[in-house]
Amino acid sequence: MLDINPGLIIWTIVTFLILMFLLTKLAWKPLLSALEKREEHIRSSIDRAEKAARDAEHQAAENKKHIANAEVKASKLLKEGHELGEKLKAEIVEKAHHHARHMVESAKLEIEREKEAALLKLRSEVADLAIIAAKKIIGETLDVEKHRKVVDSYLDELPKN
Amino acid sequence: MSSIIDTIKTSSHTISGITDTVAAHTEHKENIFVELLHHTQDSPYLEVPFGHINLPHFPPVNIFGIEIDFSITKHVFFLWVSAIIVLFIAVAAARKNTKSKIPKGIGNFIEVFVVFIRDEIVIPNMGKEGVRYMPYLLTTFFFILIMNLTGLVPYGSTSTSNVSVTAALAIIAFVMIQSSAIRQQGIGHYLAHLTGGVHWILWPIMIPIEVLGLFTKPFALCIRLFANMTGGHIVIVSLIGLIFIFKTIWVAPIPIAFAVGINILELFVALLQAYIFTMLTSLFMGLGMQVSSSKENSH
């Protein structure tokens, strides 16, 4: 049973070497390279996925920050707007008041002036009427100019209004 | 010896053949196991249903005074059958895996072994440089595995249950172990390692021990594989032989149940021995390759 058969040893070695040569060429090299390629592919895919996840997380954090900023800004703007509105309102009201006062005042002045003009006119009318009346009463004795002066001084003595 | 050979030639070695043998030798029972053992041995013909086919026989060639018989025997035939099966499977797997990115079927199946051998055997034992020797170790694994399995097929025979075949595999392993060590360390370091790093006075003792050590490892590989593959077959044949020893068919279910059990165990042993041979070869190669680095570290 333990007889060594040199022929069989040589056949085995020859078979093994031919098999190893053929397998290395046709099977192991392509298999191993395909395996390595696939492993490399998987590794890079995982790396990329991890990077994408990290980026997404980063992006999400940034977005959150942006949103928070925007909220702060919006509330600030709102407040500012509100304040500005209040201020404008106050200004407008103030202006309107001012305008109104001004108008009232100018109206008063106008009235005053009108009144004065009316008084003046009235006074001259009254003087003229008085002169005419006096002329009629006392004839043409009195010089118009002289009479006017007399009437005027009389009228001046009269209380105003 | 010649009478035994005659018996082998005259008796068919299938189960029916064993019946004939047993019937012819009922007068001396001690011969039954001798006959059974021959069933596991090499023969110059193939067993087929209803008889056998003679294989080509060549006259011995005399090379350097050694008679070498290059006849095609049963084990040479199954050696080639196994080689063709391995080639077919591995090439089919490679074709499939290079074609598509996702391995399926046979490609996936073979790749499981390839990845296992690379990640669990080669890289832990030999480091990254070991990947260079992957084709050798893969061929060893698959070739031994298929050779172990062919014996479990009816009318098949296990080439690895022949000590010459395992010796040849061990010779190749020896060459690979030494050449990988020389390649890694350089011839100087390799030879220096043989002195074991002791004082020169001890060299006459140390060098023979170290040289002997080089040969014991592949020798153990050879005997381990041979004994394991032969042992299982002998157990199966012996169990079946019990039927003929008891000379009654009623005892048959028990030995057959045991033989089925042993056969299943054999399937596992076939895989295990292929793994062990590959793993140990890789380990020995790794030891030779890493000696230099550990030495450099310690100095």
Side-chain angles (χ1 to χ4, degrees), chain A residues 76-93:
Chain A
K76 203 174 125 197
L77 273 177
L78 205 66
K79 215 171 118 196
E80 268 177 15
H82 205 71
E83 273 171 9
L84 193 71
E86 286 287 327
K87 211 170 112 190
L88 271 176
K89 189 176 131 194
E91 250 169 40
I92 288 165
V93 167

Side-chain angles (χ1 to χ4, degrees), chain B:
Chain B
M1 193 68 191
S2 64
S3 72
I4 292 167
I5 290 164
D6 288 344
T7 341
I8 298 167
K9 281 182 180 163
T10 50
S11 61
S12 166
H13 281 244
T14 56
I15 297 301
S16 64
I18 294 166
T19 332
D20 299 341
T21 325
V22 174
H25 291 272
T26 36
E27 57 271 22
H28 19 249
K29 268 186 185 164
E30 69 274 9
N31 278 354
I32 290 170
F33 281 105
V34 176
E35 297 306 322
L36 291 174
L37 286 186
H38 282 290
H39 177 69
T40 66
Q41 290 186 342
D42 207 358
S43 56
Y45 49 81
L46 283 182
E47 286 156 5
V48 289
F50 314 114
H52 53 251
I53 299 169
N54 283 315
L55 291 164
H57 184 82
F58 309 125
V61 185
N62 198 324
I63 301 172
F64 307 122
I66 308 165
E67 291 263 304
I68 300 176
D69 185 5
F70 282 108
S71 304
I72 311 299
T73 61
K74 188 172 75 177
H75 284 158
V76 177
F77 179 79
F78 278 101
L79 200 70
W80 291 346
V81 168
S82 307
I84 289 163
I85 293 171
V86 173
L87 197 64
F88 183 77
I89 292 173
V91 171
R95 287 266 159 84
K96 206 151 198 182
N97 275 13
T98 43
K99 250 183 217 160
S100 80
K101 260 190 173 172
I102 300 140
K104 267 184 276 184
I106 184 104
N108 199 8
F109 180 70
I110 296 301
E111 198 178 276
V112 170
F113 288 98
V114 173
V115 170
F116 179 80
I117 290 170
R118 192 192 58 181
D119 293 346
E120 304 296 327
I121 299 179
V122 173
I123 291 178
N125 286 330
M126 301 159 80
K128 289 268 175 223
E129 307 94 60
V131 177
R132 189 191 297 138
Y133 301 103
M134 276 292 281
Y136 162 67
L137 291 163
L138 285 170
T139 309
T140 305
F141 177 78
F142 283 104
F143 194 34
I144 292 175
L145 177 63
I146 299 297
M147 279 197 286
N148 291 350
L149 290 174
T150 51
L152 300 177
V153 179
Y155 299 106
S157 171
T158 301
S159 305
T160 43
S161 66
N162 188 314
V163 77
S164 301
V165 174
T166 59
L169 293 170
I171 289 166
I172 298 164
F174 175 79
V175 172
M176 289 307 292
I177 292 164
Q178 305 317 321
S179 63
S180 66
I182 292 170
R183 183 177 182 149
Q184 192 70 21
Q185 311 178 33
I187 189 82
H189 268 100
Y190 173 76
L191 291 175
H193 173 62
L194 288 182
T195 64
V198 294
H199 194 263
W200 64 269
I201 295 169
L202 291 172
W203 284 8
I205 305 168
M206 206 61 201
I207 290 171
I209 290 172
E210 287 282 343
V211 170
L212 204 64
L214 296 180
F215 290 100
T216 49
K217 289 167 186 167
F219 182 73
L221 282 180
C222 159
I223 296 301
R224 181 181 299 109
L225 183 57
F226 157 71
N228 271 288
M229 296 327 293
T230 307
H233 291 15
I234 290 174
V235 170
I236 291 170
V237 173
S238 306
L239 284 169
I240 300 295
L242 285 177
I243 301 167
F244 305 106
I245 290 169
F246 286 111
K247 281 189 271 177
T248 164
I249 196 133
W250 301 109
V251 84
I254 298 159
I256 286 177
F258 273 98
V260 168
I262 297 292
N263 236 310
I264 293 164
L265 187 69
E266 277 279 276
L267 278 174
F268 170 68
V269 170
L271 184 65
L272 183 73
Q273 289 306 318
Y275 163 71
I276 286 178
F277 195 99
T278 314
M279 203 272 280
L280 288 177
T281 307
S282 161
L283 181 71
F284 295 149
M285 285 171 83
L287 285 177
M289 285 161 71
Q290 279 150 26
V291 161
S292 63
S293 55
S294 63
K295 246 187 180 175
E296 275 157 21
N297 289 344
S298 63
H299 279 246

Side-chain angles (χ1 to χ4, degrees), chain A residues 90-132:
Chain A
E91 250 169 40
I92 288 165
V93 167
E94 178 59 30
K95 225 181 203 170
H97 274 297
H98 186 77
H99 198 64
R101 260 202 314 276
H102 189 74
M103 267 171 77
V104 168
E105 253 160 45
S106 69
K108 266 185 188 164
L109 274 176
E110 188 77 8
I111 289 164
E112 201 70 20
R113 216 169 48 232
E114 288 287 322
K115 197 170 121 189
E116 236 154 70
L119 275 174
L120 270 177
K121 208 169 179 190
L122 189 65
R123 188 185 278 179
S124 78
E125 288 284 308
V126 168
D128 282 352
L129 276 176
I131 289 161
I132 293 163

Side-chain angles (χ1 to χ4, degrees), chain A:
Chain A
M1 186 181 267
L2 281 168
D3 296 342
I4 293 284
N5 178 357
L8 189 48
I9 291 181
I10 290 166
W11 275 128
T12 307
I13 292 174
V14 168
T15 309
F16 186 91
L17 292 180
I18 293 170
L19 181 67
M20 186 162 83
F21 173 76
L22 288 177
L23 282 177
T24 306
K25 268 249 158 101
L26 297 173
W28 304 141
K29 285 239 168 97
L31 252 176
L32 287 170
S33 71
L35 183 66
E36 254 158 47
K37 220 184 283 166
R38 183 144 30 82
E39 281 173 341
E40 190 47 49
H41 178 75
I42 290 167
R43 208 174 294 130
S44 69
S45 295
I46 289 170
D47 282 354
R48 245 179 305 152
E50 268 174 4
K51 197 171 163 267
R54 266 204 309 277
D55 282 359
E57 226 167 76
H58 187 75
Q59 196 71 42
E62 210 153 74
N63 282 349
K64 224 175 181 179
K65 219 166 75 190
H66 279 164
I67 288 167
N69 273 355
E71 263 169 12
V72 167
K73 217 180 224 171
S75 70
K76 203 174 125 197
L77 273 177
L78 205 66
K79 215 171 118 196
E80 268 177 15
H82 205 71
E83 273 171 9
L84 193 71
E86 286 287 327
K87 211 170 112 190
L88 271 176
K89 189 176 131 194
E91 250 169 40
I92 288 165
V93 167
E94 178 59 30
K95 225 181 203 170
H97 274 297
H98 186 77
H99 198 64
R101 260 202 314 276
H102 189 74
M103 267 171 77
V104 168
E105 253 160 45
S106 69
K108 266 185 188 164
L109 274 176
E110 188 77 8
I111 289 164
E112 201 70 20
R113 216 169 48 232
E114 288 287 322
K115 197 170 121 189
E116 236 154 70
L119 275 174
L120 270 177
K121 208 169 179 190
L122 189 65
R123 188 185 278 179
S124 78
E125 288 284 308
V126 168
D128 282 352
L129 276 176
I131 289 161
I132 293 163
K135 213 186 255 180
K136 275 205 178 142
I137 297 164
I138 48 177
E140 295 283 319
T141 54
L142 267 172
D143 180 14
V144 175
E145 277 303 308
K146 216 172 169 183
H147 268 266
R148 178 166 287 261
K149 265 180 196 165
V150 172
V151 172
D152 274 350
S153 66
Y154 175 71
L155 279 173
D156 281 341
E157 273 166 33
L158 278 176
K160 289 218 165 141
N161 302 328

